[in-house]
Amino acid sequence: MNCIVDKRELSKAINLCSGVINTRTTLPILSNILVEADEGLTLTATDLETFIMCTVPSKVQSKGEFTVPASLFKEWIASAPDESVVLHYDENKLECKSGDADITLLTLPVEQYVCRPVLIENKVAVDGNLLREALKKILPATCTDATRAILSGVHLIGSHIVATDTHRLHFVDVNKPLFIGEGVIIQLQSLKSVVNSTCDTISVGYEGGLIEFECDNVRIHSRLIDGQFPNYEKVIPKNCEVKVTVPKRELYDCLRRIGIVAEENAHKVLIDWSTGELKAESAEVGRGQEQVRMTCEGEGFPQAVNGQYLMDALAACDSDEVTIELTSALNPLKVVDGDFLAVVMPMQF
């Protein structure tokens, strides 16, 4: 196999593929990228749940395919001195040349590579910018506990995108259906790859428990998470006894500073919604106290919350001022900003 490829385009494709590779895998072949040279250069990587396929325009002089260690390939291509790279593969060895630089990497047999996905052809086009911005707001609330598979993904149903780890919930209504059919739970890793995409239009296809996103020369193919997502509508508070309006940046910066103390105490911050006073204490670090400008409609009260969760919710808001709706110190608070809302459970005093 021989081909010439643009360094920047190849590096971009390797970075996208590397995002899905599990560096702690026990299968050495999964640490490799599958490279196929035909009409162009197609790179494939997988963690067995999600496949990423990137096609890079290239001058293919002779066809072929090979696998190459992703980390070594990524590092060398990124540091290649010339704008173009020459790849030559023969007998389980890949030679890479760029200018005066030259390296030979040992490869693993293509036969060891896992089964490649059957691609989905029937797709619906959606606004790429709209989807990416919604996902950026949602992803922080996904569950990181691997034993709770259903909560480790993002629920998409109609125009609603939802994520929760049971301690908080993020919800976005994009006002137009992004998915036609029943609700699905999508793997987090595949959506991270969608967020890293750049095209204006993303095509989405769903078939037989699989979902695929196509964006220009990139395809993200993933198995859906099987199960019933929690009834998120029951979690969202319907009543509001107290409404607080607060400058987003001021509250965010205050939480970040006071979080230096709160981090050592499960991120617990005590907020007095009537006065705007924030406090945090830690036996290991000390204590912090600040004041934030707030407008309170109703009779405010002190409430303990996870400061990091509240910061994540504020970071997802677009407005300069946000509204926080409350009912009591023992009930969750709701952050509201246009079509986005976040629910944060309270902590014990």
Side-chain angles (χ1 to χ4, degrees), residues 312-344:
D312 288 342
L314 292 171
C317 296
D318 297 322
S319 304
D320 293 333
E321 284 194 335
V322 297
T323 299
I324 299 175
E325 298 182 358
L326 311 154
T327 54
S328 75
L330 301 179
N331 288 324
L333 63 85
K334 182 169 70 174
V335 179
V336 182
D337 181 56
D339 296 323
F340 167 79
L341 67 83
V343 178
V344 179

Side-chain angles (χ1 to χ4, degrees), residues 146-161:
T147 64
R148 310 179 77 176
I150 292 175
L151 300 182
S152 67
V154 171
H155 184 47
L156 198 159
I157 179 168
S159 63
H160 294 178
I161 307 177

Side-chain angles (χ1 to χ4, degrees), residues 258 261-262 264-265 268-269 279-288:
I258 209 167
V261 176
E264 301 299 324
N265 189 23
K268 184 193 292 187
V269 176
K279 296 180 181 178
E281 293 187 4
S282 168
E284 292 79 14
V285 176
R287 65 192 304 270

Side-chain angles (χ1 to χ4, degrees), residues 178-306:
L178 293 177
F179 178 79
I180 299 174
E182 70 273 21
V184 295
I185 308 173
I186 307 173
Q187 302 273 354
L188 176 61
Q189 185 57 59
S190 63
L191 294 178
K192 286 182 177 179
S193 300
V194 172
V195 169
N196 290 330
S197 66
T198 57
C199 56
D200 293 332
T201 301
I202 297 177
S203 298
V204 185
Y206 164 69
E207 186 177 288
L210 300 169
I211 194 163
E212 185 174 300
F213 301 89
E214 184 173 3
C215 177
D216 290 340
N217 61 342
V218 179
R219 278 184 154 177
I220 302 160
H221 186 98
S222 179
R223 181 180 65 82
L224 293 169
I225 298 175
D226 188 26
Q228 183 68 39
F229 198 79
N231 188 341
Y232 62 91
E233 293 183 337
K234 285 188 175 181
V235 177
I236 300 173
K238 303 298 186 295
N239 300 322
C240 171
E241 301 294 331
V242 180
K243 185 176 290 186
V244 175
T245 304
V246 58
K248 178 187 71 173
R249 176 51 60 182
E250 186 175 334
L251 178 56
Y252 182 92
D253 289 344
C254 177
L255 286 168
R256 182 173 57 182
R257 289 189 296 268
I258 209 167
I260 297 171
V261 176
E263 184 176 1
E264 301 299 324
N265 189 23
H267 299 281
K268 184 193 292 187
V269 176
L270 183 64
I271 304 177
D272 190 328
W273 296 112
S274 61
T275 64
E277 185 179 59
L278 281 73
K279 296 180 181 178
E281 293 187 4
S282 168
E284 292 79 14
V285 176
R287 65 192 304 270
Q289 182 172 337
E290 288 203 33
Q291 192 83 21
V292 176
R293 292 177 296 123
M294 294 182 180
T295 302
C296 183
E297 299 178 22
E299 189 173 344
F301 46 78
Q303 185 178 43
V305 300
N306 184 305

